[in-house]
Amino acid sequence: SYEVTQTPSVSVSPGQTASITCSGDNLGNKYVCWYQQKPGQSPVLVIYQSNRRPSGIPERFSGANSGNTATLTISGTQAVDEADYYCQTWDSVSVVFGGGTKLTVL
Amino acid sequence: QVQLVQSGAEVRKTGDSVKVSCKASGYTFTAFAMFWMRQAPGQSLEWVGWINPDNGNTRYSRKFQGRVTITRDTSASTAYMELSSLRSKDTGVYFCARDGIEPGNGGDFWGQGTLVTVSS
């Protein structure tokens, strides 16, 4: 079965750029979504179709997907962005989630 | 506004079944598919299955195939996820999420989650 892998944790200073990656075989040929989840809350979609931002999501969130790696970039990271981030893609008829990345804003 | 409201927390014994509901409002229920996911304590999200409320077609994760049944009641704008033969590893929060119409849209609205606790 298809798998995608995320780095378990990323740390960033406020105002800096955070990059969270999701890796999988030929992932660049698939759509990727990214979700933000804060403790005790439901996930929130922050990127869909690999690089599109839902209405209401700040412009500092962007996505890219090429080769074997999809990347969620948060520019000018704020303390409010501290959360777990999950990538998600599709493999034929299945939905696949990454293991999640904990973003710490120091 | 779009809302997905799930049923309340459940406690079950090993071997029991549980049925979780997800009531949709604020949009045409039959126009969007519905995902179901599980999140075990401290773990990642895990796809359980999917239903097309318009025709009732379903797809299930191989991991849950044979134990899970997803249904819908279009008159009540509600989707249901039933999991049988419960074991302790099934403990977790179960989420429903609306699947955007276009490919690659993902879960654009999520329910609040339903905690299912399985004990022996």
Side-chain angles (χ1 to χ4, degrees), chain B residues 61-114:
Chain B
S61 164
R62 289 181 192 172
K63 178 171 182 176
F64 296 93
Q65 189 89 36
R67 289 202 303 139
V68 67
T69 304
I70 297 176
T71 56
R72 93 293 191 213
D73 179 347
T74 56
S75 67
S77 297
T78 301
Y80 302 90
M81 189 281 303
E82 184 171 19
L83 189 61
S84 62
S85 302
L86 290 169
R87 36 235 197 196
S88 59
K89 289 183 178 181
D90 292 318
T91 293
V93 178
Y94 290 76
F95 293 100
C96 61
R98 191 182 81 164
D99 184 10
I101 290 177
E102 300 298 327
N105 275 14
D108 57 358
F109 288 91
W110 291 61
Q112 83 276 21
T114 297

Side-chain angles (χ1 to χ4, degrees), chain A residues 1 31-33 35 37 41-45 48-50 86 88 90 92-100, chain B residues 35 37 39 43-47 50 59-62 95 99 102-108 110-113:
Chain A
S1 61
Y31 279 127
V32 174
C33 292
Y35 301 94
Q37 187 180 33
Q41 297 183 17
S42 301
V44 172
L45 181 70
Y48 68 100
Q49 291 182 352
S50 299
Y86 297 95
Q88 178 244 304
W90 290 259
S92 63
V93 296
S94 296
V95 172
V96 180
F97 285 93
Chain B
F35 289 121
M37 273 69 63
Q39 188 168 39
Q43 301 299 310
S44 176
L45 296 161
E46 188 173 27
W47 180 63
W50 170 99
R59 295 199 306 256
Y60 302 124
S61 164
R62 289 181 192 172
F95 293 100
D99 184 10
E102 300 298 327
N105 275 14
D108 57 358
W110 291 61
Q112 83 276 21

